[in-house]
Amino acid sequence: MERYYIIIVGGGPAGLTAALYCARAKLNTLVLEKKMPGGQILNTERIENCPGFDSISGLELAQRMEQHARKFGANIKLEEVKEIHSEKGAKVVKTTQGVYHAGAVILAAGGEPRWLGVPGEKELLGKGVSYCALCDGPFFAEQTIAVVGGGDAAVGEAIYLTKFAGKVYLIHRRNSLRAKKELQEELLNNPKVEVVWDSVVENIEGKHTVERIMLKNVKTSKNSPLEVSGVFIYIGFVPNSNLFNKNLELDERGYIKTDYKMSTSVEGVFAAGDIRFQLAKQITNAMSDGATAAIAAEAYLKEKGLV
Ligand SMILES: Cc1cc2nc3c(=O)[nH]c(=O)nc-3n(C[C@H](O)[C@H](O)[C@H](O)COP(=O)(O)OP(=O)(O)OC[C@H]3O[C@@H](n4cnc5c(N)ncnc54)[C@H](O)[C@@H]3O)c2cc1C
């Protein structure tokens, strides 16, 4: 059985940053990634808010982060983690291919925005379909766009997007919003916003980029096209915390609870990035969490005499 000082679950921005810090501190480190290193940023063609890069593709940033972590000696394996438990002070990590031991574990398995699951959504992702107003809003200057959802995130982001877009439609499947009253008032008083009530998106269309969405009124069953160049989908986010929640404390939305050191409710288990609740799910925040978790995990190993 292979033994490491630190095992990191997930090779997104949080996991790869944690790996860089751990490996650079000369801790024998393993990153376990179920797909390919990079995480959610692999789904984006243009990133403009990562300091040091005016504009960089998600793929290139992912490759750079991976190489950087490897340069300091991090071991990265493409294996899916299935289970983690504590055994005599050590952490036992079971994957699809093997079993590993570590003194500490950093959970950086991120999560996924909830998809609408309609035709065109996958095909036009990054070409007008977005799950992040903060990331992509500036690309839609003076354009007409739609936001889908009715909670705080959808309403808050629709208001934010009026900074850039000429017109913002909020598409909501009911006839009232779930968002906080203050947000609702701000939205409804914004002259750039029009709410389309009782409606769902049936498909997203466009040759190379989004050109229109097809709406269905759930009360009348009537279909109608809406010409937009962007669709921002805010119908929820699912953190990948389910594998580890037997002993780990989660919040009411399913995110892993941590303190300022990224320590979880289980000794020797740390969490970083989108797997814990963030005010803004951003690369910089995930990186910052990863660095903190790595430093705290090293301190934990020292305190326990495990390194
Ligand atoms: C389309 C899109 C565009 C975005 N654009 C920007 C942007 O321009 N700027 C910005 O700052 N932010 C952007 N974001 C947000 C940013 O990508 C996330 O905040 C960031 O990736 C979170 O990093 P993370 O490492 O916490 O999680 P993730 O990126 O989700 O990475 C988690 C990794 O863990 C792996 N994993 C999950 N479960 C397991 C398991 N059981 N075993 C092994 N591995 C596992 C996953 O495969 C994944 O690679 C964007 C997000 C999306 C979806």
Side-chain angles (χ1 to χ4, degrees):
M1 188 186 305
E2 288 177 41
R3 285 171 193 279
Y4 292 86
Y5 283 130
I6 296 183
I7 290 180
I8 297 162
V9 182
L16 291 173
T17 305
L20 158 64
Y21 274 69
C22 292
R24 194 160 176 264
K26 303 207 179 306
L27 298 168
N28 188 16
T29 302
L30 172 65
V31 177
L32 293 164
E33 165 55 52
K34 71 173 176 181
K35 292 184 194 151
M36 71 182 266
Q40 294 168 65
I41 58 166
L42 292 171
N43 290 325
T44 184
E45 285 185 10
R46 198 152 40 127
I47 296 166
E48 288 192 337
N49 58 1
C50 185
F53 300 100
D54 296 355
S55 175
I56 186 167
S57 74
L59 179 64
E60 189 185 346
L61 183 60
Q63 287 168 343
R64 281 172 179 258
M65 290 190 305
E66 179 188 353
Q67 282 158 14
H68 203 167
R70 284 194 193 275
K71 183 185 138 189
F72 289 112
N75 190 354
I76 301 174
K77 293 190 182 200
L78 298 187
E79 295 181 27
E80 180 173 357
V81 174
K82 289 294 195 187
E83 192 202 309
I84 303 171
H85 66 268
S86 299
E87 210 173 272
K88 294 181 197 143
K91 306 290 169 240
V92 181
V93 180
K94 290 188 183 165
T95 73
T96 36
Q97 271 116 298
V99 180
Y100 302 92
H101 269 201
V105 166
I106 298 174
L107 303 175
E112 274 186 41
R114 196 165 272 139
W115 292 61
L116 280 175
V118 299
E121 185 178 18
K122 256 195 190 129
E123 295 80 353
L124 293 167
L125 176 61
K127 296 172 181 131
V129 174
S130 175
Y131 302 86
C132 180
L134 206 55
C135 313
D136 299 330
F139 301 135
F140 292 87
E142 298 311 322
Q143 298 180 38
T144 299
I145 59 172
V147 174
V148 185
D152 285 345
V155 172
E157 300 305 333
I159 295 167
Y160 173 75
L161 285 163
T162 60
K163 272 173 178 270
F164 313 101
K167 168 108 191 170
V168 176
Y169 288 100
L170 185 88
I171 316 295
H172 187 43
R173 62 190 164 142
R174 302 187 211 286
N175 62 2
S176 63
L177 298 166
R178 266 182 301 113
K180 283 196 265 313
K181 275 273 164 295
E182 315 86 84
L183 279 177
Q184 290 193 33
E185 269 168 32
E186 195 179 338
L187 180 93
L188 298 171
N189 287 328
N190 190 313
K192 282 190 178 178
V193 175
E194 187 176 332
V195 182
V196 183
W197 302 104
D198 299 315
S199 295
V200 293
V201 177
E202 291 253 282
N203 56 52
I204 302 171
E205 298 171 359
K207 206 165 176 203
H208 304 293
T209 56
V210 171
E211 291 168 21
R212 78 193 67 77
I213 52 179
M214 195 56 76
L215 298 179
K216 180 181 168 187
N217 184 299
V218 291
K219 289 199 168 144
T220 62
S221 291
K222 210 180 132 208
N223 285 311
S224 54
L226 186 65
E227 305 292 319
V228 292
S229 52
V231 193
F232 287 79
I233 299 161
Y234 276 99
I235 55 170
F237 184 88
V238 186
N240 289 323
S241 55
N242 55 337
L243 271 176
F244 325 108
N245 66 3
K246 283 172 207 139
N247 306 307
L248 279 186
E249 223 179 296
L250 306 181
D251 72 11
E252 64 285 359
R253 292 159 291 211
Y255 291 97
I256 296 176
K257 281 189 177 176
T258 64
D259 63 10
Y260 73 100
K261 292 185 194 168
M262 307 298 138
S263 306
T264 69
S265 56
V266 176
E267 201 181 79
V269 177
F270 300 81
D274 282 6
I275 202 165
R276 62 183 213 105
F277 184 73
Q278 303 281 346
L279 174 62
K281 293 185 179 69
Q282 290 286 279
I283 296 163
T284 45
N285 286 344
M287 289 176 165
S288 158
D289 278 8
T292 304
I295 294 162
E298 182 184 13
Y300 167 81
L301 292 176
K302 278 190 186 149
E303 187 193 305
K304 295 286 167 188
L306 296 170
V307 65

